[in-house]
Amino acid sequence: MFDNLLGSFWPYTIDGLVLGAIYGLVALGYTMVYGVLRLINFAHSEIFMIGTMASAFVVMSMGLTHPLTGFALVGGLLLMILVGGFASAGSAMLLERIAYRPLRKRGASRLAALISAIGASLFLQELFALVIIPHAFNRPEQGRNQMGVARIMDKDVLFSIGGADVRVDQLLIFVAAIGMMVLLDQVVNRTKIGRGIRATSQDPQTAMLMGVDIDKIVRVTFLIGGLMAGVAGALFVLQFEVTKFSIGFLLGIKAFTAAVLGGIGNLRGALLGGLFLGLIENYGAAVFGSGWKDVIAFSVLVLVLMFRPTGILGESLQQARA
């Protein structure tokens, strides 16, 4: 049963870390919003989907017939990541303005906000399937089909570890995810807006009395979470070269699992949980077969909630160092 895993341990490990890095970036959005609002933003999966769509649109607009090289490649990658990131960030802020802020102003229950999140998620899926994809991508009557995306870069092997090849795109994804996490950690821990986020997470009423603009903090939180999801969407398109109107659904649930696994509300835990989940998925698929990959991920969620609901690190955003 374990022969496949032991014989290909390093390839499964590398693929797991790359997939886990994408999970971790998306999980950062879940954990940021939960840390500030105590809300599970289930529409965040569609914010990730918007990032993949925006990135795919950039690549398709280039009309590529072969992968880019040199400065053209650098420019193409930056454009792809920036457009994906800002499209998702803008969508996340619009989502907060329309779906969540009116409920907050009226003092609605968290259940109402949760229902609003689910409704927004379904609305965004259908909007892209029925309107955006058929028109923006010129695919009439094909809005629900999976779309392939042209390869923007050659996936050359850089080096090998234990007999496993590490490609340039895999290294780029992993380094980008770690870099975004470090940048976010520094923003939250060392900047004025970061202090406002931590203060709001700990005690919104006291933070407001101390002069913190709660609405601004919430907007920035959604912006940052959306930006992370958009970058993850661009990296996903770079790695898998596909997108779909519902592509965020399953991945979003897994990213939520990663956030819970690392400690919901914990920034470093979100990325750690993503990497850990990516490894567990791949190792499990090697042992039990690829058909069990999703089952393993959701089993991890159940087990974590049963035996360690605070996650691996268990530290919330409000407890981050000053």
Side-chain angles (χ1 to χ4, degrees), residues 101-164:
R101 193 183 304 177
L103 297 177
R104 283 195 300 111
K105 296 297 184 183
R106 294 183 176 89
S109 67
R110 291 176 186 170
L111 178 61
L114 180 62
I115 294 172
S116 180
I118 296 172
S121 174
L122 295 174
F123 170 79
L124 288 172
Q125 284 191 25
E126 294 303 312
L127 176 67
F128 271 79
L130 298 175
V131 180
I132 304 296
I133 295 175
H135 292 86
F137 292 89
N138 194 26
R139 296 171 66 94
E141 308 300 327
Q142 298 183 49
R144 298 184 184 278
N145 297 342
Q146 181 170 283
M147 294 191 300
V149 182
R151 178 166 295 185
I152 191 173
M153 65 183 297
D154 287 318
K155 298 185 176 182
D156 298 325
V157 175
L158 285 179
F159 55 89
S160 297
I161 299 178

Side-chain angles (χ1 to χ4, degrees), residues 33-51:
V33 172
Y34 180 83
V36 171
L37 294 178
R38 294 296 183 268
L39 166 69
I40 303 299
N41 178 21
F42 280 115
H44 190 61
S45 56
E46 274 54 62
I47 300 301
F48 165 79
M49 178 270 292
I50 291 172

Side-chain angles (χ1 to χ4, degrees), residues 207 239 253:
Q239 170 75 1
I253 297 177

Side-chain angles (χ1 to χ4, degrees), residues 41-297:
N41 178 21
F42 280 115
H44 190 61
S45 56
E46 274 54 62
I47 300 301
F48 165 79
M49 178 270 292
I50 291 172
T52 68
M53 289 289 175
S55 302
F57 184 79
V58 169
V59 176
M60 291 178 183
S61 298
M62 294 178 185
L64 298 178
T65 57
H66 55 80
L68 299 176
T69 57
F71 289 110
L73 174 60
V74 174
L77 287 174
L78 286 176
L79 183 63
M80 182 180 170
I81 291 172
L82 287 174
V83 171
F86 284 114
S88 288
S91 299
M93 293 182 69
L94 187 62
L95 175 69
E96 186 275 329
R97 179 67 181 84
I98 296 173
Y100 299 134
R101 193 183 304 177
L103 297 177
R104 283 195 300 111
K105 296 297 184 183
R106 294 183 176 89
S109 67
R110 291 176 186 170
L111 178 61
L114 180 62
I115 294 172
S116 180
I118 296 172
S121 174
L122 295 174
F123 170 79
L124 288 172
Q125 284 191 25
E126 294 303 312
L127 176 67
F128 271 79
L130 298 175
V131 180
I132 304 296
I133 295 175
H135 292 86
F137 292 89
N138 194 26
R139 296 171 66 94
E141 308 300 327
Q142 298 183 49
R144 298 184 184 278
N145 297 342
Q146 181 170 283
M147 294 191 300
V149 182
R151 178 166 295 185
I152 191 173
M153 65 183 297
D154 287 318
K155 298 185 176 182
D156 298 325
V157 175
L158 285 179
F159 55 89
S160 297
I161 299 178
D165 293 333
V166 178
R167 303 194 313 266
V168 62
D169 59 306
Q170 293 174 322
L171 184 63
L172 174 63
I173 291 170
F174 187 77
V175 171
I178 298 297
M180 293 293 289
M181 171 60 219
V182 171
L183 178 62
L184 177 59
D185 188 69
Q186 293 302 304
V187 168
V188 170
N189 286 318
R190 296 183 180 276
T191 65
K192 182 179 179 180
I193 194 70
R195 289 194 295 271
I197 290 172
R198 298 200 312 275
T200 303
S201 174
Q202 185 171 9
D203 191 335
Q205 298 301 324
T206 302
M208 185 169 59
L209 292 174
M210 296 297 291
V212 176
D213 186 341
I214 302 298
D215 285 338
K216 178 182 177 181
I217 293 299
V218 172
R219 288 196 301 270
V220 170
T221 298
F222 273 85
L223 183 148
I224 293 174
L227 182 65
M228 295 294 163
V231 172
L235 298 177
F236 180 92
V237 170
L238 178 65
Q239 170 75 1
F240 297 102
E241 298 171 353
V242 295
T243 186
K244 190 179 181 182
F245 79 102
S246 60
I247 203 161
F249 176 74
L250 194 57
L251 189 142
I253 297 177
K254 291 181 180 180
F256 172 68
T257 301
V260 173
L261 180 60
I264 188 75
N266 185 296
L267 297 179
R268 298 171 187 176
L271 186 60
L272 178 63
L275 296 174
F276 193 57
L277 181 62
L279 290 173
I280 292 175
E281 267 195 16
N282 269 24
Y283 292 160
V287 174
F288 300 107
S290 59
W292 288 84
K293 197 171 186 178
D294 296 337
V295 176
I296 292 168

